[in-house]
Amino acid sequence: MKLNTYINFNGQCEEALRYYEQHLGAKVLHIMKWNQMPEAEKHTPPGMADKVLHVRVAMADTYIMAADVPQAEPMRSAYLTLSVDSNEEAERLYKALSDGGQIFMAMNETFFAYRFGQLRDKFGINWMIIRERPMPNA
């Protein structure tokens, strides 16, 4: 069994994924626009023809799927979490994703992580970036 994440955007899906390609090393594997589906003229909401109907992206050893959905509200109570192996990588990702976004928790050292931060990027997606500190076994 595998668990993947599906994200709905409100018209910025392709822009967001290209940004993630540039800054996170994501790779778009398949993309289909609303106007490419069978009988698109019957099923495409107004203004959505050139927007993303479905995309599959490889990122951080998993896959993300996404789409542009009319009146979608970006995620609010869930986070995509990137675990990294260095403080420098944590800082780089935090800087890239917080550019134009909203910081919830500044990148800092915590009792559970050498580096940890939380933010919402400019596309409305919540992120946690962590370089974990070894914890004792329970």
Side-chain angles (χ1 to χ4, degrees):
M1 180 184 318
K2 292 183 181 182
L3 175 67
N4 293 310
T5 302
Y6 204 104
I7 305 171
N8 291 326
F9 291 87
N10 189 8
Q12 296 179 301
C13 184
E14 188 166 14
E15 179 185 357
L17 296 175
R18 299 301 177 201
Y19 190 85
Y20 302 156
E21 280 183 317
Q22 180 181 355
H23 295 284
L24 306 180
K27 181 176 172 136
V28 171
L29 302 174
H30 168 77
I31 188 167
M32 177 183 255
K33 304 287 181 87
W34 279 86
N35 62 8
Q36 294 174 313
M37 78 169 134
E39 300 185 32
E41 63 284 349
K42 290 183 184 180
H43 305 291
T44 302
M48 298 296 287
D50 66 339
K51 301 299 180 185
V52 175
L53 175 65
H54 177 75
V55 64
R56 182 179 165 123
V57 180
M59 182 177 2
D61 294 330
T62 193
Y63 297 98
I64 292 175
M65 292 169 277
D68 282 313
V69 176
Q71 301 172 351
E73 293 185 31
M75 55 202 269
R76 294 290 183 244
S77 63
Y79 288 79
L80 299 181
T81 303
L82 295 172
S83 298
V84 298
D85 294 328
S86 73
N87 291 351
E88 295 76 23
E89 182 67 354
E91 295 286 349
R92 184 189 74 75
L93 294 171
Y94 185 84
K95 182 178 180 195
L97 291 170
S98 64
D99 183 26
Q102 178 183 4
I103 293 172
F104 299 138
M105 182 176 176
M107 182 63 73
N108 278 303
E109 187 170 351
T110 70
F111 73 92
F112 59 88
Y114 294 114
R115 307 304 293 152
F116 180 76
Q118 295 176 303
L119 59 102
R120 178 174 297 139
D121 71 19
K122 62 185 173 184
F123 307 106
I125 304 303
N126 295 338
W127 294 91
M128 286 193 281
I129 295 113
I130 186 169
R131 178 172 177 234
E132 292 183 77
R133 184 183 297 279
M135 299 298 286
N137 292 333

